[in-house]
């Protein structure tokens, strides 16, 4: 993967999760392909992906299923995270694995 610079967002969502954030590169568990880069706020497992935290690629707003471009498996489905009224993808269990990105500006 090409090295890219990501600027971490620091907003109310991040503050609500303790202010701690990092960038994860997310991969398809089935075929090991790179899927996206993501800002994870706070501790805990990756259960959903908030659209406003996906750095790359660009996900069109009408996307209803997150699909691996390589093996076409469905990774997650769109829903609104009620507590924050925030567009997200609910991830299927064990659909992805992640690697921590290095050299990120906080
Ligand atoms: Zn795949």
């Amino acid at each position: 993967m090409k090295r890219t610079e990501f600027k971490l967002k620091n907003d109310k969502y991040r503050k609500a999760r303790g202010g701690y954030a990092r960038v994860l590169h997310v991969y398809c568990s089935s075929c090991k392909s790179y899927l996206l880069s993501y800002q994870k706020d706070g501790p805990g497992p990756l259960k959903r992906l908030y659209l406003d935290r996906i750095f790359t690629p660009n996900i069109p707003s009408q996307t209803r299923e997150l699909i691996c471009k390589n093996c076409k498996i469905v990774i997650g489905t769109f829903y609104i995270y009620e507590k924050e009224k925030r567009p997200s993808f609910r991830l299927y269990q064990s659909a992805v694995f992640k690697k921590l990105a290095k050299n990120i500006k906080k």
Side-chain angles (χ1 to χ4, degrees), residues 48-101:
R48 68 186 76 86
L49 300 173
Y50 301 108
L51 263 68
D52 59 89
R53 287 302 193 257
I54 300 175
F55 289 112
T56 182
N58 252 326
I59 310 281
S61 57
Q62 70 274 18
T63 304
R64 286 299 167 265
E65 284 188 324
L66 202 60
I67 294 167
C68 173
K69 284 195 174 74
N70 185 53
C71 72
K72 312 298 179 200
I73 202 166
V74 181
I75 302 296
T77 51
F78 181 86
Y79 78 119
I80 305 285
Y81 179 58
E82 265 306 311
K83 210 174 140 193
E84 293 174 317
K85 303 268 181 271
R86 205 171 166 198
S88 326
F89 290 103
R90 182 181 279 123
L91 290 174
Y92 286 104
Q93 210 177 354
S94 310
V96 300
F97 65 97
K98 55 205 191 299
K99 292 178 186 171
L100 190 64

